[in-house]
Amino acid sequence: MHAGKLHTLLLSVQDEHLTLGVDEKIKKTILALTNISAQPADPSLHAIFKGSLDELRETLQGAPSNSFYPSERAILDEIGATPFIGDGLAKELLSVIESNNMTPASAASQLTEFTSRLTKYISHVKNVCKAFQTFHLETATLSPGKAEILISQAVPQDTVVQFAQFLKDIGQWQRALTTYNEVFSEDAEPVSIHRISSSDWQFYLAASPVVLRGVRYCLEQLNGILLELLKAKQLIGQLRNSKFSEQIIQATQKEYDVKSDTEIGKLAEAIVDESFKGDEGRKNELKTAMTIALGITAKKLASGDKLELKIEPLPAPEEKGEDENDVLYRQRLDQANEMKTLSEEFARTTHQLASNAEKISELSELKLLDVSVEDKEKK
């Protein structure tokens, strides 16, 4: 994992625990259970317990860590943080209470024991953060208004990757992103490497927000095409199981092959027609390039590569500046709101891709996605 990313996440875990007042809310719940065990017939104590539990649950349901990106959640899982934050912590606490719902004293005792483990873990987090700061280890954060795309390559752990294959894989992504960059923005800076996590083959690439908005649209459309292809695979499997002839199976596969190719081609044309503002000659060239870029992206997603889009919103202005008129203030406010909306859209698309990743990976060996770049170029 990337050390700066780990540092950033540990600081988030530490801040979340403190800001949400988790310790105090758990203590209130334990105290309520202890009081019930002493006076089980007192209905007011049961009401107090319900109130404290509802408050704790609502607090944890609203924890910032619940909306962390999939790659961030993977790091938290790896370092054992998941049971001590957000929804994971709520699940642990409710499990203890539900398994001891007839014995409040036992529930209070087990919650106290769990709280000790939670306190110990958070203490470790604080110590690691202090050590990172002592060694001046950077955090991996985006500046307001900046955007990035994360590419996680599907490389199994302990796999030896040949350098030539590595360059080929990265070259394919570079080719696709170069096309996206040109189509969605006339003056955008080239996509550049922001950070690299070599232990798990992750590349954080800095890109224009305008370009990533276009990439987001491409990913959403490709996600739909891939899910349709998954239905095709399932249909072909059903035909085989029903002992249909190989001739019918091959004809069905070819039909979906042509359909998927056509859908990607239509999508490429529509995107270039809508987004590219250059001359007609270059527009026609980019339609071919966009078809190739979408084909590469689809194949990479089906092969297990993962993408995440992220933007750090601009802070909303609280009041006008001393020398600022209403028009400039409104422009700043609109820009901040637009960035916030874009951030939410990026997160939604990223989580959608992650939720469908396992399904889409079933297409990795399906010939329907064997798009030939050379054939596309000849056309």
Side-chain angles (χ1 to χ4, degrees), residues 30-103:
I30 293 173
L31 178 60
L33 284 169
T34 303
N35 290 337
I36 288 175
S37 66
Q39 301 180 63
D42 188 340
S44 66
L45 296 179
H46 289 271
I48 291 172
F49 165 68
K50 183 181 181 304
S52 64
L53 183 60
D54 287 345
E55 181 186 17
L56 179 58
R57 185 191 290 113
E58 289 172 10
T59 296
L60 294 175
Q61 285 176 345
S65 59
N66 295 335
S67 58
F68 281 177
Y69 272 50
S71 63
E72 296 169 334
R73 297 296 313 187
I75 293 174
L76 293 173
D77 286 343
E78 191 174 340
I79 63 174
T82 300
F84 302 116
I85 56 174
D87 286 337
L89 178 55
K91 181 179 178 181
E92 294 289 332
L93 296 174
L94 290 174
S95 176
V96 170
I97 293 170
E98 288 169 3
S99 61
N100 296 277
N101 62 344
M102 301 299 292
T103 52

Side-chain angles (χ1 to χ4, degrees), residues 127 148 177 188 198 204 216 268 286 302 323 331 356:
N127 289 336
E148 71 179 10
L177 290 169
S198 57
Y204 296 82
R216 183 192 74 83
L286 282 174
D323 301 322
Q331 286 177 348
N356 290 330

Side-chain angles (χ1 to χ4, degrees), residues 208-259:
S208 159
V210 174
V211 171
L212 287 197
R213 174 185 282 163
V215 172
R216 183 192 74 83
Y217 176 77
C218 291
L219 291 174
E220 286 196 332
Q221 298 304 307
L222 285 175
N223 191 56
I225 292 173
L226 290 172
L227 291 177
E228 285 299 313
L229 283 175
L230 185 59
K231 293 179 183 178
K233 181 186 177 182
Q234 293 167 345
L235 174 59
I236 291 169
Q238 291 169 2
L239 292 176
R240 281 207 167 90
N241 292 336
S242 301
K243 309 300 182 184
F244 277 78
S245 69
E246 192 61 28
Q247 183 179 4
I248 292 177
I249 293 172
Q250 291 296 331
T252 305
Q253 183 162 314
K254 184 176 181 180
E255 178 186 345
Y256 277 100
D257 190 1
V258 172
K259 182 181 178 182

Side-chain angles (χ1 to χ4, degrees), residues 217-315:
Y217 176 77
C218 291
L219 291 174
E220 286 196 332
Q221 298 304 307
L222 285 175
N223 191 56
I225 292 173
L226 290 172
L227 291 177
E228 285 299 313
L229 283 175
L230 185 59
K231 293 179 183 178
K233 181 186 177 182
Q234 293 167 345
L235 174 59
I236 291 169
Q238 291 169 2
L239 292 176
R240 281 207 167 90
N241 292 336
S242 301
K243 309 300 182 184
F244 277 78
S245 69
E246 192 61 28
Q247 183 179 4
I248 292 177
I249 293 172
Q250 291 296 331
T252 305
Q253 183 162 314
K254 184 176 181 180
E255 178 186 345
Y256 277 100
D257 190 1
V258 172
K259 182 181 178 182
S260 65
D261 209 8
T262 302
E263 289 297 316
I264 288 177
K266 286 180 179 178
L267 176 60
E269 287 196 19
I271 288 171
V272 174
D273 283 336
E274 174 69 24
S275 303
F276 184 67
K277 308 304 180 186
D279 65 82
E280 287 300 314
R282 184 55 183 155
K283 177 179 282 190
N284 290 330
E285 293 173 348
L286 282 174
K287 287 179 180 179
T288 299
M290 179 59 79
T291 302
I292 294 170
L294 292 172
I296 288 171
T297 304
K299 185 68 177 176
K300 289 292 189 184
L301 291 175
S303 298
D305 283 13
K306 295 180 176 62
L307 297 184
E308 293 183 1
L309 309 177
K310 194 169 190 178
I311 186 170
E312 183 63 29
L314 294 168

